[in-house]
Amino acid sequence: METQKILQIQDVTADQLKEILSSAVRNEISTLRAEFAQQSEKDELLTPDDVCALLGISKVTLWNWQKSGKIKSYGIGAKRFYKKAEILNHSLKQQK
């Protein structure tokens, strides 16, 4: 069986408790928003046109890289997308 912990609060008014809890929740939400923004940036999807413009390549080159496995694409229906972080990582490898 789990042991239940008992929390006793003394010498704190209802308004003070409300402010303590509100502050803790605001801080947690702020942290989660920052983490979500970082994750969203990592998972940003690019269209083939975006990738070609970013790397200065043709669509044929992009297709060849995709076909050979150098770049991974992700499909949503008939459309293809590429993760920006993976494209930039591939670009850095090509420059070395």
Side-chain angles (χ1 to χ4, degrees), residues 10-78:
Q10 297 177 351
D11 299 325
V12 176
T13 67
D15 286 340
Q16 289 171 327
L17 179 60
K18 180 181 173 183
E19 182 55 37
I20 291 168
L21 293 174
S22 293
S23 177
V25 169
R26 278 192 300 272
N27 288 340
E28 190 63 26
I29 289 172
S30 178
T31 300
L32 290 172
R33 280 184 179 160
E35 289 174 8
F36 179 75
Q38 287 177 340
Q39 189 62 34
S40 294
E41 190 174 289
K42 289 180 186 176
D43 293 339
E44 182 181 349
L45 296 177
L46 302 174
T47 66
D49 288 336
D50 294 336
V51 175
C52 291
L54 181 66
L55 299 180
I57 60 173
S58 69
K59 285 189 177 182
V60 173
T61 300
L62 179 62
W63 185 81
N64 286 332
W65 286 356
Q66 178 184 326
K67 187 177 174 185
S68 68
K70 290 180 181 179
I71 292 180
K72 184 175 180 180
S73 69
Y74 301 87
I76 299 176

